[in-house]
Amino acid sequence: MAQAEMMTMAAYARRRGVSRNAVARAVRDGRIVLIGGKLDAAIADAQWSKNTRPRAGNTKDTSAINDGESRYATARADREQSEAALSALRLRETEGNLINREGVEMAIETGFRMIRDAMMTVPERMALDATTQAKMREAIRAALDDASKAVASAMMPSHAQPVAAGG
């Protein structure tokens, strides 16, 4: 069983954030009880909360006194959770499971810039002078003629004789 935290009225007043006279009045009025001339902090807190009305205009939150340790524990747990998350990210980065976003964006931008630059030169490479265009047309016609003759001869049975165009 936990040992009682016994304290003087002055120490209890400091703990509650009230004057020593307020604590003395609460004892005198029977709202809190002395044990051997001292106050048990836990019992006195319960009695104070139950038997004492807050003063009008009193903005002190006495519950903050009682849950100060709770807020500290919550803040500490939040900090430790954040540190654990950062450690996990560092570990994943070290293992190579994470990549640098800025590096990826830079690589993508560089790749697209190279594609754009290559596409910009296409019209220059495709521009041909008139003589070259005429030679290409003749070469394409000759290739098509040769291809059509090859297809026609492949389609014709080997024992048949080609018929002359005139008749």
Side-chain angles (χ1 to χ4, degrees):
M1 185 170 170
Q3 187 174 359
E5 184 181 353
M6 303 301 287
M7 58 180 60
T8 65
M9 286 193 290
Y12 184 73
R14 281 190 300 274
R15 177 177 175 201
R16 293 245 12 133
V18 297
S19 70
R20 186 189 178 289
N21 286 337
V23 174
R25 276 192 307 272
V27 169
R28 182 190 68 213
D29 296 345
R31 289 180 279 143
I32 58 176
V33 179
L34 290 175
I35 302 172
K38 294 195 175 191
L39 293 167
D40 179 335
I43 293 172
D45 283 342
Q47 291 174 338
W48 186 282
S49 296
K50 180 181 176 191
N51 301 325
T52 305
R53 286 182 295 167
R55 295 180 82 186
N58 184 5
T59 58
K60 288 184 183 177
D61 182 9
T62 57
S63 66
I65 296 169
N66 296 331
D67 73 350
E69 288 183 21
S70 173
R71 287 185 300 172
Y72 172 76
T74 301
R76 184 174 181 178
D78 289 347
R79 188 194 81 221
E80 289 178 4
Q81 185 177 7
S82 296
E83 287 177 357
L86 283 174
S87 293
L89 283 173
R90 286 187 196 113
L91 176 63
R92 290 177 61 199
E93 184 176 23
T94 302
E95 291 173 342
N97 294 331
L98 293 180
I99 56 174
N100 182 339
R101 179 181 176 156
E102 291 176 3
V104 171
E105 288 174 348
M106 187 178 294
I108 290 171
E109 184 178 334
T110 301
F112 279 119
R113 185 174 290 129
M114 291 172 66
I115 291 170
R116 183 202 63 201
D117 293 346
M119 295 297 288
M120 297 291 282
T121 63
V122 169
E124 294 171 8
R125 289 184 283 156
M126 296 299 291
L128 303 173
D129 63 337
T131 309
T132 307
Q133 287 179 359
K135 288 180 185 176
M136 284 182 65
R137 268 192 296 268
E138 287 178 33
I140 291 171
R141 272 194 202 118
L144 287 174
D145 286 342
D146 291 345
S148 63
K149 288 178 186 173
V151 169
S153 67
M155 302 278 285
M156 192 174 293
S158 58
H159 62 281
Q161 296 292 324
V163 178

